[in-house]
Amino acid sequence: MEISTAVVLGLGSSGESVSRLLARHGTVVRALDEASGDAIACRAQKLREEGIAVELGDIDSSAFAFGKDPAVLCVVSPGVPAGSRLITEAERLGIPILPELDVGYNYAKCPLIAVTGSNGKSTLVKLLDDALRLLGMRSAPCGNYGEPLSSAVERGAWERLVVEVSSFQMERSELFAPQTGVLLNLSQNHLDRHGDMKVYEGLKARMFAKMPEDGIAIVNEQQADLVRGANSKVRMVTLGNDNSADYSYASGTVSGPGVQINVEGTFADNAVMGLTASAALAVINENGWDTGALEEAIRGFEPLEFRMQKVGELRGVTFINNSKATTLSAVEASLLMTSAPVRLICGGILKEKNLAFIEKMLVNRVSSAYVYGQAGMALSGAWSASVKCLVFEDLRTAVLKAFEDAESGDIVLLSPGCSSFDQFKSFADRGREFNSVVEELRRSSG
């Protein structure tokens, strides 16, 4: 697709990257953002130095025109709200709107492996990229994890790109068509933006809609019908934790048709990460690549920061940082990955209303829950009949009390189940605070 003129909405990393990619391919670009701040100003300055027009602040309809004609295309970054004034203006002017993901795909020169789902996407993307590199391929992780797809496409010649795809990125997608697509799982998430679960599920399925008939759809067996409804022609293989699926995990082993990998003693030796490893095995095996490279990647895998990351051990108490867990389904998954008694730390801004569905897991795995922030009282009210709950104003106080109560062999687990924006800039900012408190305890313990 040739694009003569384009406006780019949003100057986050995706907006900056796609502006640069379009300009490289001869498009006259104008980047727009109503926000302000040092980070946006810095990106704007860099783009202007490269000859790309940027408008910030109070933007009117003239910004969408190039001479007498409106822009040929409007490109929207995933962080721009669906009902924003600028998107509404582009719609009023009749300008086609595509996400940054589609533009990156338009210029990609290699097949894409795309991963979506509610939990575990980033871990799978990193694991696949590690395995592809061990196979000697030029690959890069990108999309919602790592750099934007447009950035990866702009900066290198690759044999494969492994792309994490979010529901936000699929809202306006019309072009994106990976050669291999993975749907790991589905649970309630981002309903504050999408409205209801049916819309969210539809956006996840949409990633498969344009896939070619010779593509490979690797899908959790529970969502197989959803994906078939989006694309009945693509070849499908299924994931699960029982023998009914094509690829599955069972007590130290992931297996598929004619292939088996020993994951005993690795991060993948549990039901949650075992499913992730099964998905990776499906990608490697179904593409005809050597599965030995995947086994090596699993054994050498370093967990991602703020994702079930062990950050310390003091007087027999282990601290695990899972700040990336922003839903209660993610909390449930993190508890499934632990075996010791857990001192659970949750809090922030709730993204869902059903708080009771993990009560059985709380009873079986959690000694006490330390809840804080905006969601503290709501979580305590929902869970107090199942587990002892203590309410705190902030994360630091909750961590200190959890350690005070913990006995040797316990795990102090930060798995918030909420967004971070009541007290932190991001889940990473929250994760760094947890690590800082653990370091503070370490120093005070001598």
Side-chain angles (χ1 to χ4, degrees):
M1 179 176 67
E2 295 297 325
I3 305 165
S4 56
T5 58
V7 290
V8 174
L9 306 186
L11 257 186
S13 58
S14 293
E16 179 184 12
S17 298
V18 76
S19 296
R20 191 170 285 118
L21 178 64
L22 285 164
R24 176 183 169 186
H25 285 273
T27 302
V28 180
V29 179
R30 184 177 296 127
L32 311 176
D33 201 313
E34 293 183 297
S36 58
D38 293 343
I40 290 176
C42 181
R43 290 191 177 105
Q45 182 60 29
K46 288 179 181 178
L47 291 177
R48 286 168 178 147
E49 289 173 357
E50 297 172 33
I52 297 171
V54 178
E55 291 190 25
L56 303 177
D58 188 16
I59 297 166
D60 61 34
S61 59
S62 64
F64 291 81
F66 292 78
K68 295 182 179 179
D69 299 317
V72 169
L73 180 67
C74 175
V75 184
V76 62
S77 302
V80 177
S84 80
R85 189 182 68 83
L86 293 180
I87 290 179
T88 301
E89 184 63 16
E91 290 173 333
R92 186 186 71 80
L93 294 169
I95 302 172
I97 302 173
L98 289 178
E100 174 269 328
L101 190 76
D102 278 26
V103 178
Y105 170 79
N106 183 61
Y107 292 113
K109 292 182 170 58
C110 70
L112 305 184
I113 301 169
V115 176
T116 196
S118 298
N119 299 305
K121 301 184 294 296
S122 298
T123 296
L124 179 55
V125 167
K126 182 179 185 298
L127 178 59
L128 285 170
D129 183 61
D130 288 353
L132 293 179
R133 288 170 184 265
L134 288 170
L135 286 165
M137 292 190 194
R138 296 188 306 279
S139 68
C142 55
N144 208 43
Y145 164 70
E147 62 187 320
L149 176 58
S150 294
S151 175
V153 170
E154 196 270 336
R155 75 176 179 83
W158 310 101
E159 292 176 80
R160 288 294 188 283
L161 289 170
V162 188
V163 190
E164 179 181 323
V165 178
S166 73
S167 56
F168 291 12
Q169 292 169 307
M170 294 309 300
E171 285 176 331
R172 293 182 177 272
S173 178
E174 299 291 343
L175 306 178
F176 190 69
Q179 184 65 27
T180 303
V182 181
L183 175 56
L184 264 180
N185 47 53
L186 274 181
S187 58
Q188 289 191 18
N189 201 358
H190 302 308
L191 301 191
D192 52 340
R193 174 150 171 165
H194 301 314
D196 59 45
M197 195 64 184
K198 185 175 181 180
V199 173
Y200 179 61
E201 290 173 345
L203 291 170
K204 293 298 188 182
R206 191 172 188 171
M207 191 186 83
F208 298 86
K210 302 287 185 180
M211 286 181 64
E213 291 185 31
D214 64 346
I216 307 164
I218 298 166
V219 181
N220 190 305
E221 60 183 348
Q222 296 180 6
Q223 282 83 49
D225 288 344
L226 178 68
V227 172
R228 280 195 196 94
N231 187 338
S232 61
K233 296 180 179 180
V234 69
R235 181 164 70 89
M236 183 184 295
V237 296
T238 57
L239 305 170
N241 284 327
D242 57 53
N243 293 332
S244 64
D246 297 312
Y247 290 84
S248 61
Y249 161 84
S251 60
T253 302
V254 291
S255 58
V259 64
Q260 191 173 84
I261 287 181
N262 182 352
V263 298
E264 188 175 0
T266 72
F267 83 100
D269 194 7
N270 58 75
V272 176
M273 287 296 107
L275 185 68
T276 299
S278 299
L281 179 61
V283 171
I284 299 298
N285 194 48
E286 294 295 326
N287 277 286
W289 299 323
D290 180 9
T291 58
L294 176 61
E295 186 165 2
E296 184 179 349
I298 289 171
R299 297 215 163 268
F301 189 78
E302 296 183 5
L304 292 166
E305 195 173 24
F306 314 130
R307 296 165 174 88
M308 294 303 290
Q309 178 188 22
K310 181 178 176 180
V311 295
E313 184 174 322
L314 296 170
R315 58 171 174 78
V317 177
T318 301
F319 292 85
I320 295 179
N321 188 335
N322 196 31
S323 183
K324 184 62 171 67
T326 61
T327 67
L328 296 181
S329 294
V331 176
E332 184 178 43
S334 65
L335 291 172
L336 277 169
M337 295 167 64
T338 61
S339 56
V342 173
R343 307 283 176 169
L344 176 65
I345 300 171
C346 291
I349 300 175
L350 283 164
K351 298 163 68 176
E352 52 207 302
K353 295 179 180 179
N354 180 7
L355 310 184
F357 73 92
I358 68 168
E359 284 182 300
K360 183 177 179 180
M361 188 65 64
L362 296 174
V363 170
N364 291 336
R365 300 293 177 100
V366 176
S367 299
S368 300
Y370 303 79
V371 296
Y372 73 92
Q374 189 179 117
M377 292 304 297
L379 292 172
S380 178
W383 294 349
S384 289
S386 303
V387 66
K388 179 182 177 182
C389 291
L390 295 89
V391 182
F392 302 88
E393 285 191 10
D394 56 56
L395 172 63
R396 180 180 181 278
T397 311
V399 176
L400 293 175
K401 179 58 176 172
F403 181 60
E404 178 185 320
D405 293 348
E407 301 174 359
S408 179
D410 286 0
I411 290 174
V412 174
L413 171 65
L414 171 64
S415 191
C418 301
S419 72
S420 59
F421 302 120
D422 61 337
Q423 298 182 3
F424 301 98
K425 296 177 181 178
S426 65
F427 77 84
D429 187 32
R430 175 171 61 194
R432 285 189 286 269
E433 172 72 3
F434 179 79
N435 290 355
S436 176
V437 178
V438 175
E439 177 61 19
E440 176 186 329
L441 287 168
R442 187 193 65 78
R443 289 196 304 268
S444 66
S445 299

